[in-house]
Amino acid sequence: MPTLDIKQNILQENAKAAESLRKQFATNKTLVLNFISSPGSGKTSLLEATIARLKDKYRLAAIDGDIATERDADRLRALGISAEQISTGGACHLDARQISTALKKGNFGKLDILFIENVGNLICPTSYDLGEDGKIVLLSVTEGDDKPFKYPGIFSKADTAVITKIDLLPHVRFDESAVNEQITTLRPNGTIHRLSVTTGEGVEGWIKFITQRFQNKQTRA
Ligand code: MG
Ligand code: ZN
């Protein structure tokens, strides 16, 4: 069997598993967000800031993907929420079956919001539907302002882009308007946030955005 067909089969199998997850999330009205970025863009830090601000109001849980270690899940558990770590053993993405296994293992009960932190990678996770409501792509200002056009797949699939570490802007070369232009070209109706979890700039707007998405999910029966 040619490699391309095998990849097609894997993605078809994944799509089936993702569809059943999507039904389950719809029944429970759980908002599910899939966070994707390069390693070190600040996914876990953004989740920490988000969870700290929402945990008293909503039932939250997280699933973290990494090729090794439980570190990210441990950081989120430290905030008092349930988190399951998926160790992919080298694989550079999460798939829908791993999510359903983690859900069974985590036994989270009925959730308002499930955060999925994908493996740090801008390419592979793009192709794998996890039954989520939306993909959130992060780009830190230290990564360079050419990334959206270099990784058009994820920037066109993600309905939301978050520019992180904006407190470092004075120290790096990062043309933010060029980045916004690239992102808007790839995803004309998407949302762009800019924030720093270190200074807190932009975090309030981000939290409002998540809250609004949660409300939308509740009214979309
Ligand atoms: Mg992380
Ligand atoms: Zn992969």
Side-chain angles (χ1 to χ4, degrees):
M1 200 186 263
T3 327
L4 207 69
D5 288 351
I6 293 172
K7 177 125 200 258
Q8 279 314 108
N9 283 344
I10 289 171
L11 287 177
Q12 273 169 20
E13 283 303 308
N14 186 75
K16 269 189 231 163
E19 212 35 61
S20 96
L21 283 173
R22 204 182 313 284
K23 275 188 196 141
Q24 186 184 326
F25 296 144
T27 306
N28 293 330
K29 296 188 175 182
T30 305
L31 173 69
V32 182
L33 300 172
N34 180 6
F35 288 69
I36 296 171
S37 79
S38 311
S41 305
K43 292 184 294 303
T44 315
S45 297
L46 179 57
L47 286 175
E48 283 176 325
T50 307
I51 289 162
R53 286 165 177 82
L54 295 177
K55 66 174 183 176
D56 294 334
K57 205 171 159 197
Y58 300 109
R59 293 165 296 184
L60 309 175
I63 295 175
D64 278 273
D66 257 311
I67 58 169
T69 86
E70 289 250 344
R71 284 182 185 205
D72 287 358
D74 284 341
R75 282 172 62 183
L76 303 182
R77 284 182 198 124
L79 295 162
I81 70 152
S82 302
E84 269 299 310
Q85 182 81 45
I86 299 172
S87 287
T88 63
C92 53
H93 64 272
L94 292 176
D95 65 39
R97 250 186 261 171
Q98 289 172 317
I99 298 298
S100 59
T101 305
L103 283 173
K104 279 175 203 135
K105 246 181 91 194
N107 197 19
F108 299 136
K110 199 169 179 295
L111 292 175
D112 293 322
I113 308 174
L114 173 67
F115 298 106
I116 299 173
E117 178 180 349
N118 221 306
V119 181
N121 186 310
L122 278 176
I123 306 161
C124 230
T126 310
S127 313
Y128 288 82
D129 183 358
L130 304 180
E132 75 271 6
D133 293 284
K135 289 180 170 60
I136 314 263
V137 63
L138 278 70
L139 175 65
S140 65
V141 302
T142 57
E143 289 171 73
D145 50 26
D146 54 352
K147 292 301 173 292
F149 277 174
K150 279 180 126 175
Y151 300 93
I154 185 57
F155 283 92
S156 52
K157 271 209 170 164
D159 59 57
T160 306
V162 185
I163 311 298
T164 60
K165 309 189 190 180
I166 59 167
D167 56 301
L168 299 179
L169 277 171
H171 311 288
V172 291
R173 269 180 57 184
F174 187 84
D175 184 343
E176 211 177 335
S177 61
V179 167
N180 288 341
E181 220 175 284
Q182 292 172 52
I183 295 172
T184 309
T185 303
L186 294 165
R187 181 83 189 198
N189 301 315
T191 308
I192 304 174
H193 286 267
R194 60 192 302 282
L195 53 80
S196 160
V197 297
T198 307
T199 63
E201 189 181 351
V203 174
E204 204 181 311
W206 163 253
I207 296 297
K208 270 191 197 143
F209 169 74
I210 299 289
T211 306
Q212 189 56 57
R213 284 190 83 149
F214 171 72
Q215 303 295 356
N216 293 348
K217 180 97 185 197
Q218 305 317 297
T219 50
R220 209 188 316 130

